[in-house]
Amino acid sequence: MNKNHNLFAILREAFPADLQTTAVETADTPSPLFYTWADLERGTAMMANLLDSLALPPMSRVAVQTEKSVEALMLYLAVLRAGHVFLPLNTAYQAAEIEYFVGNAEPAVVVCSGKNFGWISKIAFVAGTRHVFTLNEDRSGTLLDRAAFQPTTHQAAQRNAEDMAAILYTSGTTGRSKGAMLTHGNLVSNARVLKDFWGWQSNDVLLHALPIFHVHGLFVAIHGALMAGCKMIWFSRFEPKAVTTRLPEATVFMGVPTLYVRLLGEPRFDQAACRNMRLFISGSAPLLLETFNDFQARTGHTILERYGMSETVMLTSNPYRPESARRGGTVGPALPGVGVRVTSEKGAPVPAGEIGNIEVKGPNVFKGYWRMPEKTADEFTSDLWFKTGDVGKIDDSGFVTIVGRSKDLIISGGYNVYPAEIEACINDMPGVAESAVVGAPHPDFGEAVVAVVVAKPGVVLKGADIVATLKQQIANFKVPKLVQVVPDLPRNAMGKVQKNLLRDQHRSAFKA
Ligand code: MCA
Ligand code: AMP
């Protein structure tokens, strides 16, 4: 038989020889739960057998919106094992958002929390989904009820490197959310590179406190630990005090910058708490130099900042060794096997140190956007480099610095918010003439969403009412932290709203 490129099969090869050791220990369940490697093997086999029993077409999408739990992790692995396509959804998404993703991806299976079954199953059945299961934080729900009757062994489905493994929805550089199709080959190549580059070992302990519906917590963190066959201390949510308490048992931690800012706000977070730590990794949003320096001063550790995207997994990383080579404010050189270049508006590569558009190439770069061939074509150059929408420079030693974005994107606490989506919701409200949404610096979230709104003549609008309405419609992290009602929006001679002016006006809105 040909070699199996199924990511699960490759991760499974890395499980330790002794399957009775602990793979995952939960840190914030009512009492700690210890899952051995044998439990992961058995649990994923039973769930994969359940998926097989549904006789789904090959590479069906399995959409999942559940709270973080070890069973949710097993579900991810089981979807890979059965050869289907994992589609993770942020738990903050509300009905209209889920309706779009489910309508677009047409999943054969949807798994949701029991508390949301009523409305999610309605959306799913309308979209043609045949199977909706529930999975709750306390290990109850129909998914596990049904899987309990399945055999405990399973042969991983045979997959090629170019077969799809996951779809991650992202807005890319413009427009409506697009499903980035990541292949088994994309994920395997990145996981292998990072395992070596970051020096993962079987005696590492990863403290996992990120959500598992995005690249950072799902792929970068989990694949690293599984590839190394090392233990994870598993938090269902990030809480700085509790994380500080368990940190002395850990060697690796990954976070978005907000997590580092919040750890620094915890008085007990100090050198002693970090005494066994080997590596702190930051990404998903820019890490302020101030946080990088404060962290070094407090703990003696230098955060390693890296850069990636949903479409490409990880692209660049600051050096692992020596620690002193890590440079704050940069995201480091391209990872082995990854090409990163900076080009001018005309598409020509610019000299070292000059600012331009960041473009990338490599085995980690996605296959394209789900059922959007034209959008896919738009985002690749004629020589097949992917246009990231990030703006930056590369110095003589290959270090990449991101200086901004050509895409209209706000990154708040590591979550992406697309102004156009929020503006569309606000513009639909009665009494609103128009609106503009921008990001403003925020001491906790890095950037926060600000909406500037113009009322129709004779209408009095209140910011609080706009916020209250938005909270019913969209994920809470997208809801503006500030709404300002103004007589009109600043425009240039072409009539285009001058968002730069609005950003300048709100630069100090959230000053600590
Ligand atoms: C929560 N809130 C937020 C955010 N999170 N507001 C803006 N931005 C946010 N990120 C708001 C809620 O709406 C709520 O407001 C209030 O804060 C408290 O909510 P809660 O759920 O209690 O917040 P939290 O648990 O403290 O969450 C904050 C957090 C979380 C831990 C920083 O946002 C988080 O886990 N972020 C990580 C995101 C991540 O994993 N990104 C990776 C993307 P109200 O009370 O008004 O309702 S992967 C990626 O980008 C690429 C590929 C890469 O390079 O990694
Ligand atoms: P996503 O669409 O969630 O995959 O987010 C990808 C975007 O996050 C990138 O295009 C960057 O704009 C941003 N990003 C990720 N890592 C970093 C970083 N270390 N510094 C600055 N921006 C980052």
CSV table of all heavy atoms in Angstrom, one decimal, residues 168-172 214-216 257 282-287 305-316 330-331 386 388-391 402 404-405 407 409 411 414-416 418, ligand 2:
chain,number,residue,atom,x,y,z
A,168,LEU,N,-10.6,26.4,7.5
A,168,LEU,CA,-10.6,27.5,8.5
A,168,LEU,C,-11.2,28.7,7.9
A,168,LEU,O,-10.6,29.2,6.8
A,168,LEU,CB,-9.2,27.8,9.1
A,168,LEU,CG,-8.5,26.7,9.9
A,168,LEU,CD1,-7.4,27.3,10.6
A,168,LEU,CD2,-9.5,26.0,10.8
A,169,TYR,N,-12.3,29.3,8.4
A,169,TYR,CA,-12.8,30.5,7.8
A,169,TYR,C,-12.1,31.7,8.2
A,169,TYR,O,-11.7,31.9,9.4
A,169,TYR,CB,-14.3,30.6,8.2
A,169,TYR,CG,-15.2,29.8,7.2
A,169,TYR,CD1,-15.4,28.4,7.4
A,169,TYR,CD2,-15.6,30.4,6.0
A,169,TYR,CE1,-16.1,27.7,6.5
A,169,TYR,CE2,-16.3,29.6,5.1
A,169,TYR,CZ,-16.5,28.3,5.3
A,169,TYR,OH,-17.2,27.6,4.4
A,170,THR,N,-11.8,32.5,7.2
A,170,THR,CA,-11.0,33.7,7.5
A,170,THR,C,-11.4,34.7,6.3
A,170,THR,O,-11.8,34.2,5.3
A,170,THR,CB,-9.5,33.5,7.4
A,170,THR,OG1,-8.8,34.7,7.2
A,170,THR,CG2,-9.1,32.5,6.3
A,171,SER,N,-11.3,36.0,6.6
A,171,SER,CA,-11.7,36.9,5.5
A,171,SER,C,-10.6,37.2,4.6
A,171,SER,O,-10.8,38.0,3.6
A,171,SER,CB,-12.3,38.2,6.1
A,171,SER,OG,-13.5,37.9,6.6
A,172,GLY,N,-9.4,36.6,4.8
A,172,GLY,CA,-8.3,36.9,3.8
A,172,GLY,C,-8.1,38.4,3.7
A,172,GLY,O,-8.2,39.1,4.7
A,214,HIS,N,-8.8,27.9,16.4
A,214,HIS,CA,-8.0,28.6,15.5
A,214,HIS,C,-6.6,27.9,15.4
A,214,HIS,O,-6.3,27.1,16.2
A,214,HIS,CB,-7.8,30.1,16.0
A,214,HIS,CG,-9.0,30.9,15.8
A,214,HIS,ND1,-9.7,31.1,14.7
A,214,HIS,CD2,-9.7,31.7,16.7
A,214,HIS,CE1,-10.7,31.9,14.8
A,214,HIS,NE2,-10.7,32.3,16.1
A,215,VAL,N,-5.9,28.4,14.4
A,215,VAL,CA,-4.6,27.8,14.1
A,215,VAL,C,-3.7,27.7,15.3
A,215,VAL,O,-3.0,26.7,15.5
A,215,VAL,CB,-3.9,28.6,13.0
A,215,VAL,CG1,-2.4,28.4,12.9
A,215,VAL,CG2,-4.5,28.3,11.6
A,216,HIS,N,-3.6,28.8,16.1
A,216,HIS,CA,-2.6,28.8,17.2
A,216,HIS,C,-2.8,27.7,18.2
A,216,HIS,O,-1.9,26.9,18.4
A,216,HIS,CB,-2.7,30.2,17.8
A,216,HIS,CG,-1.5,30.6,18.6
A,216,HIS,ND1,-1.3,31.9,18.9
A,216,HIS,CD2,-0.5,29.9,19.2
A,216,HIS,CE1,-0.1,32.0,19.6
A,216,HIS,NE2,0.3,30.8,19.8
A,257,PRO,N,-0.5,38.0,22.4
A,257,PRO,CA,0.0,39.0,23.3
A,257,PRO,C,-0.8,39.3,24.5
A,257,PRO,O,-0.3,39.5,25.6
A,257,PRO,CB,0.2,40.2,22.4
A,257,PRO,CG,0.4,39.6,21.0
A,257,PRO,CD,-0.5,38.4,21.0
A,282,SER,N,5.0,33.6,21.3
A,282,SER,CA,3.8,34.6,21.1
A,282,SER,C,3.5,34.7,19.6
A,282,SER,O,4.5,34.6,18.8
A,282,SER,CB,4.2,35.9,21.7
A,282,SER,OG,3.2,36.9,21.4
A,283,GLY,N,2.3,34.9,19.3
A,283,GLY,CA,1.9,35.1,17.9
A,283,GLY,C,0.4,35.4,17.8
A,283,GLY,O,-0.3,35.6,18.8
A,284,SER,N,0.0,35.6,16.5
A,284,SER,CA,-1.4,35.9,16.1
A,284,SER,C,-1.7,37.4,16.1
A,284,SER,O,-2.6,37.8,15.4
A,284,SER,CB,-2.5,35.3,17.0
A,284,SER,OG,-2.3,33.9,17.2
A,285,ALA,N,-0.8,38.2,16.7
A,285,ALA,CA,-1.0,39.6,16.7
A,285,ALA,C,0.4,40.2,17.2
A,285,ALA,O,1.2,39.5,17.7
A,285,ALA,CB,-2.0,40.0,17.7
A,286,PRO,N,0.6,41.5,16.9
A,286,PRO,CA,1.9,42.0,17.2
A,286,PRO,C,2.2,42.1,18.7
A,286,PRO,O,1.3,42.5,19.5
A,286,PRO,CB,1.9,43.5,16.7
A,286,PRO,CG,0.6,43.6,15.9
A,286,PRO,CD,-0.3,42.5,16.2
A,287,LEU,N,3.3,41.6,19.2
A,287,LEU,CA,3.7,41.7,20.6
A,287,LEU,C,4.4,43.0,20.8
A,287,LEU,O,5.5,43.3,20.1
A,287,LEU,CB,4.7,40.6,20.9
A,287,LEU,CG,5.2,40.5,22.3
A,287,LEU,CD1,4.1,39.9,23.2
A,287,LEU,CD2,6.4,39.5,22.4
A,305,GLU,N,8.8,35.3,19.3
A,305,GLU,CA,7.7,35.7,18.5
A,305,GLU,C,7.8,35.1,17.1
A,305,GLU,O,8.8,35.0,16.5
A,305,GLU,CB,7.6,37.2,18.4
A,305,GLU,CG,6.3,37.6,17.7
A,305,GLU,CD,6.0,39.1,17.7
A,305,GLU,OE1,6.8,39.9,18.2
A,305,GLU,OE2,4.9,39.5,17.2
A,306,ARG,N,6.6,34.6,16.7
A,306,ARG,CA,6.6,34.0,15.4
A,306,ARG,C,5.3,34.5,14.6
A,306,ARG,O,4.5,35.2,15.2
A,306,ARG,CB,6.6,32.5,15.4
A,306,ARG,CG,5.4,31.7,16.1
A,306,ARG,CD,4.2,32.4,16.2
A,306,ARG,NE,3.0,31.7,16.6
A,306,ARG,CZ,1.8,32.0,16.0
A,306,ARG,NH1,1.7,32.9,15.1
A,306,ARG,NH2,0.7,31.4,16.5
A,307,TYR,N,5.2,34.3,13.3
A,307,TYR,CA,4.2,34.9,12.5
A,307,TYR,C,3.6,33.8,11.6
A,307,TYR,O,4.3,32.9,11.1
A,307,TYR,CB,4.8,36.0,11.7
A,307,TYR,CG,4.2,36.4,10.4
A,307,TYR,CD1,2.8,36.9,10.4
A,307,TYR,CD2,4.9,36.5,9.2
A,307,TYR,CE1,2.3,37.3,9.2
A,307,TYR,CE2,4.3,36.9,8.0
A,307,TYR,CZ,3.0,37.4,8.0
A,307,TYR,OH,2.4,37.8,6.9
A,308,GLY,N,2.2,33.8,11.5
A,308,GLY,CA,1.5,32.9,10.7
A,308,GLY,C,0.2,33.4,10.3
A,308,GLY,O,-0.2,34.5,10.6
A,309,MET,N,-0.5,32.5,9.6
A,309,MET,CA,-1.9,32.9,9.1
A,309,MET,C,-2.7,31.6,9.0
A,309,MET,O,-2.1,30.5,8.8
A,309,MET,CB,-1.8,33.4,7.6
A,309,MET,CG,-1.2,34.8,7.5
A,309,MET,SD,-1.3,35.3,5.8
A,309,MET,CE,-3.0,35.8,5.7
A,310,SER,N,-4.0,31.7,8.9
A,310,SER,CA,-4.9,30.6,8.8
A,310,SER,C,-4.5,29.9,7.4
A,310,SER,O,-4.6,28.7,7.3
A,310,SER,CB,-6.3,31.0,8.8
A,310,SER,OG,-6.7,31.5,10.0
A,311,GLU,N,-4.2,30.7,6.4
A,311,GLU,CA,-4.0,30.1,5.1
A,311,GLU,C,-2.6,29.4,5.0
A,311,GLU,O,-2.4,28.7,4.0
A,311,GLU,CB,-4.0,31.2,4.0
A,311,GLU,CG,-5.4,31.8,3.7
A,311,GLU,CD,-5.7,33.0,4.6
A,311,GLU,OE1,-5.2,33.2,5.7
A,311,GLU,OE2,-6.5,33.9,4.1
A,312,THR,N,-1.7,29.7,5.9
A,312,THR,CA,-0.4,29.2,5.7
A,312,THR,C,0.2,28.5,6.9
A,312,THR,O,1.4,28.1,6.9
A,312,THR,CB,0.6,30.4,5.4
A,312,THR,OG1,0.6,31.2,6.6
A,312,THR,CG2,0.1,31.3,4.3
A,313,VAL,N,-0.5,28.4,8.0
A,313,VAL,CA,0.1,28.0,9.3
A,313,VAL,C,1.3,28.8,9.5
A,313,VAL,O,1.3,30.0,9.2
A,313,VAL,CB,0.3,26.4,9.3
A,313,VAL,CG1,0.1,25.9,10.7
A,313,VAL,CG2,-0.6,25.7,8.4
A,314,MET,N,2.4,28.3,10.1
A,314,MET,CA,3.5,29.2,10.5
A,314,MET,C,4.5,29.5,9.4
A,314,MET,O,4.8,28.6,8.6
A,314,MET,CB,4.2,28.6,11.7
A,314,MET,CG,3.4,28.4,13.0
A,314,MET,SD,2.7,30.0,13.5
A,314,MET,CE,1.1,30.0,12.9
A,315,LEU,N,4.9,30.8,9.4
A,315,LEU,CA,5.7,31.2,8.3
A,315,LEU,C,7.1,31.6,8.7
A,315,LEU,O,8.1,31.3,8.1
A,315,LEU,CB,5.1,32.5,7.7
A,315,LEU,CG,3.8,32.3,6.9
A,315,LEU,CD1,3.0,33.6,6.8
A,315,LEU,CD2,4.0,31.6,5.6
A,316,THR,N,7.2,32.3,9.8
A,316,THR,CA,8.5,32.8,10.3
A,316,THR,C,8.6,32.5,11.8
A,316,THR,O,7.6,32.4,12.5
A,316,THR,CB,8.7,34.3,10.1
A,316,THR,OG1,7.9,35.0,11.1
A,316,THR,CG2,8.4,34.8,8.7
A,330,THR,N,10.3,42.0,16.0
A,330,THR,CA,10.4,41.3,14.7
A,330,THR,C,9.8,39.9,14.9
A,330,THR,O,9.6,39.4,16.0
A,330,THR,CB,11.8,41.1,14.3
A,330,THR,OG1,12.4,39.9,14.8
A,330,THR,CG2,12.7,42.3,14.6
A,331,VAL,N,9.4,39.3,13.8
A,331,VAL,CA,8.9,37.9,13.8
A,331,VAL,C,9.9,36.9,13.4
A,331,VAL,O,9.5,35.7,13.1
A,331,VAL,CB,7.6,37.8,13.0
A,331,VAL,CG1,6.5,38.7,13.7
A,331,VAL,CG2,7.7,38.3,11.6
A,386,PHE,N,1.7,33.5,-2.3
A,386,PHE,CA,0.5,34.0,-1.7
A,386,PHE,C,0.6,35.4,-1.1
A,386,PHE,O,1.6,35.6,-0.4
A,386,PHE,CB,0.1,33.0,-0.6
A,386,PHE,CG,-1.1,33.4,0.2
A,386,PHE,CD1,-2.4,33.5,-0.4
A,386,PHE,CD2,-1.0,33.6,1.6
A,386,PHE,CE1,-3.5,33.9,0.3
A,386,PHE,CE2,-2.1,34.0,2.3
A,386,PHE,CZ,-3.4,34.2,1.7
A,388,THR,N,-0.1,37.9,1.5
A,388,THR,CA,-0.6,37.8,2.9
A,388,THR,C,-1.5,38.9,3.3
A,388,THR,O,-2.3,38.8,4.2
A,388,THR,CB,0.6,37.8,3.9
A,388,THR,OG1,1.3,39.1,3.8
A,388,THR,CG2,1.6,36.6,3.6
A,389,GLY,N,-1.3,40.1,2.6
A,389,GLY,CA,-2.1,41.3,3.0
A,389,GLY,C,-1.4,42.0,4.2
A,389,GLY,O,-1.8,43.0,4.7
A,390,ASP,N,-0.2,41.4,4.6
A,390,ASP,CA,0.6,42.1,5.6
A,390,ASP,C,1.7,42.9,4.9
A,390,ASP,O,2.1,42.6,3.8
A,390,ASP,CB,1.2,41.1,6.6
A,390,ASP,CG,0.2,40.4,7.4
A,390,ASP,OD1,-0.6,41.1,8.0
A,390,ASP,OD2,0.2,39.1,7.4
A,391,VAL,N,2.1,44.0,5.6
A,391,VAL,CA,3.1,44.9,5.0
A,391,VAL,C,4.3,44.9,6.0
A,391,VAL,O,4.1,44.9,7.2
A,391,VAL,CB,2.5,46.4,4.9
A,391,VAL,CG1,3.6,47.4,4.5
A,391,VAL,CG2,1.3,46.4,4.0
A,402,ILE,N,6.9,43.1,10.7
A,402,ILE,CA,5.6,43.5,10.2
A,402,ILE,C,5.3,44.9,10.6
A,402,ILE,O,5.4,45.2,11.8
A,402,ILE,CB,4.5,42.5,10.7
A,402,ILE,CG1,4.8,41.1,10.3
A,402,ILE,CG2,3.1,42.9,10.2
A,402,ILE,CD1,4.0,40.0,10.9
A,404,GLY,N,2.6,46.8,9.2
A,404,GLY,CA,1.1,47.1,9.1
A,404,GLY,C,0.4,46.1,8.2
A,404,GLY,O,0.9,45.0,8.0
A,405,ARG,N,-0.8,46.5,7.8
A,405,ARG,CA,-1.6,45.6,6.9
A,405,ARG,C,-2.2,46.3,5.8
A,405,ARG,O,-2.6,47.5,6.0
A,405,ARG,CB,-2.7,44.9,7.8
A,405,ARG,CG,-2.2,44.2,9.0
A,405,ARG,CD,-3.4,43.8,9.9
A,405,ARG,NE,-2.9,43.5,11.2
A,405,ARG,CZ,-3.3,44.0,12.3
A,405,ARG,NH1,-4.4,44.8,12.3
A,405,ARG,NH2,-2.8,43.7,13.5
A,407,LYS,N,-4.7,44.9,4.3
A,407,LYS,CA,-6.0,44.5,4.4
A,407,LYS,C,-6.7,45.3,5.6
A,407,LYS,O,-6.0,45.6,6.6
A,407,LYS,CB,-6.1,43.0,4.7
A,407,LYS,CG,-5.2,42.5,5.9
A,407,LYS,CD,-5.1,41.0,5.9
A,407,LYS,CE,-4.0,40.5,6.9
A,407,LYS,NZ,-3.6,39.1,6.8
A,409,LEU,N,-8.2,45.1,8.6
A,409,LEU,CA,-8.4,44.1,9.6
A,409,LEU,C,-8.0,44.7,10.9
A,409,LEU,O,-7.0,45.4,11.1
A,409,LEU,CB,-7.5,42.9,9.2
A,409,LEU,CG,-7.2,41.9,10.3
A,409,LEU,CD1,-8.4,41.1,10.7
A,409,LEU,CD2,-6.1,40.9,9.9
A,411,ILE,N,-7.0,43.3,14.8
A,411,ILE,CA,-6.8,42.0,15.6
A,411,ILE,C,-6.9,42.4,17.1
A,411,ILE,O,-6.1,43.2,17.6
A,411,ILE,CB,-5.4,41.4,15.3
A,411,ILE,CG1,-5.2,41.1,13.8
A,411,ILE,CG2,-5.3,40.1,16.1
A,411,ILE,CD1,-3.9,40.4,13.4
A,414,GLY,N,-6.1,38.7,19.7
A,414,GLY,CA,-5.8,37.6,18.9
A,414,GLY,C,-6.9,37.1,18.0
A,414,GLY,O,-6.8,36.2,17.2
A,415,TYR,N,-8.1,37.8,18.1
A,415,TYR,CA,-9.2,37.4,17.2
A,415,TYR,C,-9.3,38.5,16.1
A,415,TYR,O,-9.1,39.7,16.3
A,415,TYR,CB,-10.5,37.4,17.9
A,415,TYR,CG,-10.7,36.3,18.9
A,415,TYR,CD1,-11.3,36.5,20.1
A,415,TYR,CD2,-10.3,35.0,18.5
A,415,TYR,CE1,-11.5,35.4,21.0
A,415,TYR,CE2,-10.5,33.9,19.4
A,415,TYR,CZ,-11.1,34.2,20.6
A,415,TYR,OH,-11.3,33.1,21.5
A,416,ASN,N,-9.6,38.0,14.8
A,416,ASN,CA,-9.7,38.9,13.7
A,416,ASN,C,-11.1,39.5,13.6
A,416,ASN,O,-12.1,38.8,13.7
A,416,ASN,CB,-9.4,38.2,12.4
A,416,ASN,CG,-7.9,37.8,12.3
A,416,ASN,OD1,-7.1,38.1,13.3
A,416,ASN,ND2,-7.5,37.3,11.2
A,418,TYR,N,-13.3,42.1,11.0
A,418,TYR,CA,-13.3,42.8,9.7
A,418,TYR,C,-14.2,43.9,9.8
A,418,TYR,O,-15.4,43.7,9.9
A,418,TYR,CB,-13.6,41.8,8.6
A,418,TYR,CG,-12.4,40.9,8.4
A,418,TYR,CD1,-12.3,39.7,9.2
A,418,TYR,CD2,-11.4,41.2,7.6
A,418,TYR,CE1,-11.2,38.9,9.1
A,418,TYR,CE2,-10.2,40.4,7.5
A,418,TYR,CZ,-10.1,39.3,8.2
A,418,TYR,OH,-9.0,38.5,8.1
B,2,AMP,P1,-5.6,34.7,10.8
B,2,AMP,O1,-6.4,35.3,9.6
B,2,AMP,O2,-6.4,34.5,12.0
B,2,AMP,O3,-4.9,33.6,10.3
B,2,AMP,O4,-4.6,35.9,11.1
B,2,AMP,C1,-3.5,36.1,10.4
B,2,AMP,C2,-2.9,37.4,10.6
B,2,AMP,O5,-2.5,37.6,11.9
B,2,AMP,C3,-1.7,37.7,9.8
B,2,AMP,O6,-1.9,38.0,8.4
B,2,AMP,C4,-1.1,38.9,10.5
B,2,AMP,O7,-1.7,40.1,10.2
B,2,AMP,C5,-1.5,38.6,12.0
B,2,AMP,N1,-0.3,38.0,12.7
B,2,AMP,C6,-0.1,36.7,13.1
B,2,AMP,N2,1.1,36.6,13.8
B,2,AMP,C7,1.5,37.9,14.0
B,2,AMP,C8,2.6,38.5,14.6
B,2,AMP,N3,3.5,37.8,15.3
B,2,AMP,N4,2.8,39.8,14.5
B,2,AMP,C9,1.9,40.6,13.9
B,2,AMP,N5,0.8,40.1,13.2
B,2,AMP,C10,0.6,38.8,13.3
